[in-house]
Each structure stands twice: as C-alpha cells, then as structure tokens.
Amino acid sequence: MGDCHERKTFVEAAAICSDAGARLCTAAELRADCTRGTGCGHDAQLVWSSDAQASPSPSPAPSPAPSPSPVPSPGPAPPYPTEPCAGSANCAAPDGPSQQCEDDAGPPWEDDPTSRRYHDGTPATPVLADGTCPDPLAASCAAKGVKAAHLDGPIDCGGGGWFCRILPQAGWVPEGGFRDSNFAHCSTPDADELDTDGHCHGSDTEDTYGWWVRDHWHRGYAGTLHCCCGWGPEALGGVVNRCDYRRSIEPSQLDSCRDANEDHPPGSPLFDFDAGGSCEAYPLKPDPVDATPGQCWTVTHFADPESVPNPSDP
C-alpha cells in the first residue's frame, strides 16, 4: 500500500485499504498476529479493525486500567454517529461559550479547526461496558458520537455535578512519569497520609466538564480517565480523601479569568482537607464505578499522545 499511514480515522483507514484492493483486518485476525512485523513499526500501536464499523473505538481493545476496578473491553456500540464533524457545530470541542482561562493548556479554543476535533484520530478509547453510552452521556452520544460525547460532553448528571480520576495506565505513561498525583482512595491504607493514587478533579457545575478535560488533555495528564456523576461529601466522602475543584466561568468573567482550577471565590464547594475532605471523616464506600456504573464512564489512553513518548501494550 505504499507509504505508512498513521492517525487516520476509521473511514480514512477503510478507504486506504479499499483503494489498494484490500480490506481492514478483523479483530480476530489482529489478535492472531496476522499483521505483526509487516512494516511501519505499528506492532505496539492501536490500529483499526473491520469490526470497528459500528463504533468509533479502535481495536484491539486496550488493556484494563489498574484501578479502581478492571475496565471491560469496549463493546459493540449502537449506531451512534461516526461521520466527521466537518461543516457542523459539533466540531467545537467542547461546546461554547468558551470557559478557557488564561492558564488553560492547549491552543485557543476559538482557533480550533472547523474540520476536526482536537482529539480526533488519537488512541483515546471510550469503554462501553454493555455496548451503550451511560445515561449521563446518552444525549451527547446520540448527537455527536461516542468519543466526542465522552471527551467534550455535555454531560447530564441531573445538576449534581461530576468528578473524574485520572489513574496510571501501563503502557501509556507521560514523559517524566505520572503528572501531579493529588489524592488517595479511601480503600488505600493510611489514605489521609497519601496523595499517590492518581489525579482527581470535579465540579458542582456540569458545564465545566469538557473544559477541564480539554485543559488536562493538553497538559499531558496521561492515563485512564474514570468519571462519575456527583460532587461534594455525599459523592466523594468515603471514596477519595480529596479532589480538586473546577469552577464555572461566565462569559463576562472570561477576560479576567486566570485559572479556573485554582482561583476559587469564597464559598466555593471545595473538597479538601480544609473543607470536608479526609477518609477518616466518612465510612468507607464502594467505588461508584462498581456501585453505580450507569452513572460513570471511562476513557483509556487519555491525553495528547505527544505527551507519551513510548506508548506500548502492557
């Protein structure tokens, strides 16, 4: 087929094969190593399979995240939209109006191309445990597709807020090691003395979700992303010892906003050791990823792939 091809969408990959009088391999053929050693150095990279036609997730399926619980392999998705976003408002990633503050990482949102989203063509892979999007993402999945819904939102948690944990993922390690571990699970012994389990962030305002994702993606917080509905002691108490807060930015505040992750006005509903956080203060609870899976969602291979210099299968 001539040149090596990288970072292609499913549609582009299928067209390349078809133009060459061939087809994409099936997932079973890939697992049987039919493509191993065939050139271009792709043995350790995610590639498309013909089984992916009903879902925007690449195959083979990524390995499970190490915690809080095993990540199931992506299931076959319903006929969610998979067409490119060119020419539609769905290329905005996330939806406007902008909440991108001065210190947010990544290019200016207003300068994003109108033909693709910033995460298109990357290894980031939503996990659909039962083959469908969870309830908080159902409307977004139907409107813009699985991957865009998981990374851009909007999410619908009934006004209860959200929190996400980025956990280390074998084979997907950012340059210099995991970025800014800031919490411990309450199931970890001596949790209140530790902040070594991953990076936790959330908000009581759901329109902040896609802006936090975009910022941390471009900061290179590589790992597996676990998100659930809920914020505050009722959701976090007994699960984690602390979690950083992302505040919502109104259009009138945008010109003066420096960092929505750190600049919090008095009265903000924080969850840290000075504002209700700690594992000793609450009874241990099961992880919501296990206890309420319909209110949680997972993305493996999260973050800008340029922040991961040596990706590999674990």
Side-chain angles (χ1 to χ4, degrees), residues 8-27:
K8 301 298 182 182
T9 66
F10 173 80
V11 173
E12 291 171 338
I16 290 168
C17 292
S18 178
D19 291 345
R23 61 168 175 79
L24 289 170
C25 296
T26 66

Side-chain angles (χ1 to χ4, degrees), residues 6-8 44-46 58 116-125 147 151 169 171-176 179 213-223 299-312:
E6 298 180 348
R7 298 189 180 183
K8 301 298 182 182
Q45 298 183 14
L46 292 172
R116 62 186 300 277
R117 305 177 183 96
Y118 69 85
H119 48 69
D120 283 346
T122 67
T125 305
K147 188 170 182 176
L151 293 174
Q169 178 180 334
W172 192 250
V173 181
E175 186 173 6
R179 303 280 171 83
V213 168
R214 180 185 174 104
D215 172 52
H216 281 57
W217 172 282
H218 288 294
R219 288 183 188 272
Y221 280 63
V299 179
T300 67
H301 300 85
F302 176 80
D304 185 346
E306 293 187 2
S307 67
V308 182
N310 297 300
S312 63

Side-chain angles (χ1 to χ4, degrees), residues 164-168 178 197-199 212 216 221-225 302:
C164 291
R165 290 162 289 173
I166 304 171
L167 305 181
F178 190 81
D197 285 353
H199 186 84
W212 173 83
H216 281 57
Y221 280 63
T224 296
L225 180 71
F302 176 80

Side-chain angles (χ1 to χ4, degrees), residues 20-313:
R23 61 168 175 79
L24 289 170
C25 296
T26 66
E29 289 169 338
L30 291 169
R31 286 191 291 268
D33 288 342
C34 73
T35 59
R36 182 176 293 276
T38 55
C40 295
H42 289 164
D43 288 349
Q45 298 183 14
L46 292 172
V47 297
W48 289 109
S49 79
S50 58
D51 302 71
Q53 293 181 40
S55 169
S57 301
S59 177
S63 298
S67 60
S69 60
V71 176
S73 298
Y80 296 119
T82 57
E83 66 274 5
C85 64
S88 98
N90 281 338
C91 276
D95 298 344
S98 176
Q99 293 192 35
Q100 188 177 44
C101 292
E102 179 182 349
D103 287 354
D104 274 9
W109 176 76
E110 294 84 356
D111 294 343
D112 277 3
T114 58
S115 59
R116 62 186 300 277
R117 305 177 183 96
Y118 69 85
H119 48 69
D120 283 346
T122 67
T125 305
V127 175
L128 303 182
D130 62 358
T132 61
C133 287
D135 289 344
L137 299 179
S140 291
C141 284
K144 61 176 64 172
V146 175
K147 188 170 182 176
H150 278 70
L151 293 174
D152 302 334
I155 61 173
D156 182 3
C157 289
W162 59 274
F163 73 101
C164 291
R165 290 162 289 173
I166 304 171
L167 305 181
Q169 178 180 334
W172 192 250
V173 181
E175 186 173 6
F178 190 81
R179 303 280 171 83
D180 189 22
S181 189
N182 68 354
F183 84 99
H185 289 108
C186 290
S187 57
T188 300
D190 299 319
D192 283 344
E193 307 300 322
L194 303 171
D195 60 0
T196 54
D197 285 353
H199 186 84
C200 186
H201 226 122
S203 181
D204 61 333
T205 308
E206 290 159 23
D207 64 6
T208 58
Y209 172 74
W211 298 101
W212 173 83
V213 168
R214 180 185 174 104
D215 172 52
H216 281 57
W217 172 282
H218 288 294
R219 288 183 188 272
Y221 280 63
T224 296
L225 180 71
H226 292 281
C227 300
C228 295
C229 286
W231 177 254
E234 183 176 350
L236 301 170
V239 179
V240 298
N241 62 351
R242 65 178 306 278
C243 196
D244 284 350
Y245 179 73
R246 173 92 183 191
R247 72 181 178 104
S248 182
I249 303 298
E250 298 293 332
S252 61
Q253 301 170 322
L254 195 60
D255 289 343
S256 60
C257 170
R258 184 187 67 85
D259 190 341
N261 299 318
E262 295 185 0
D263 295 341
H264 304 135
S268 295
L270 308 182
F271 190 80
D272 57 26
F273 293 127
D274 295 324
S278 98
C279 290
E280 291 186 357
Y282 305 93
L284 182 65
K285 292 194 301 193
D287 196 288
V289 170
D290 302 316
T292 56
Q295 294 295 300
C296 299
W297 56 99
T298 293
V299 179
T300 67
H301 300 85
F302 176 80
D304 185 346
E306 293 187 2
S307 67
V308 182
N310 297 300
S312 63
D313 292 328

